[in-house]
Amino acid sequence: QRYGGTTICVFDPKRPETEQRARALQHDADYIVPADYRKDSVLWDVVSATLRQTYERTANGQFHQLF
């Protein structure tokens, strides 16, 4: 996060205790989402949006702001 990164914490939706542990880390994570790696999942949307934002910053000459 210090250098413009995004932190994504995933949890196993079939195991409630993993979500509780993930929520305990919410001050360190930008997103807490179920560990569903399929296309069109919440995680897919978060990763896609993050990559798109990074590309747009880089393509607009703002690459130096990442570091």
Side-chain angles (χ1 to χ4, degrees):
Q1 290 176 340
R2 183 188 329 177
Y3 298 107
T6 301
T7 307
I8 303 169
C9 182
V10 297
F11 62 89
D12 182 347
K14 295 178 183 175
R15 298 177 52 211
E17 71 276 8
T18 64
E19 183 174 2
Q20 292 170 352
R21 276 189 260 148
R23 299 274 174 220
L25 299 171
Q26 68 185 17
H27 60 280
D28 292 323
D30 295 307
Y31 299 94
I32 299 172
V33 297
D36 178 356
Y37 299 93
R38 295 175 291 178
K39 188 174 182 181
D40 297 325
S41 67
V42 174
L43 178 57
W44 179 277
D45 292 343
V46 167
V47 171
S48 297
T50 300
L51 290 172
R52 189 172 19 263
Q53 290 170 355
T54 301
Y55 170 78
E56 289 171 0
R57 283 196 308 255
T58 304
N60 290 328
Q62 299 176 6
F63 183 74
H64 66 279
Q65 291 180 4
L66 299 175
F67 301 97

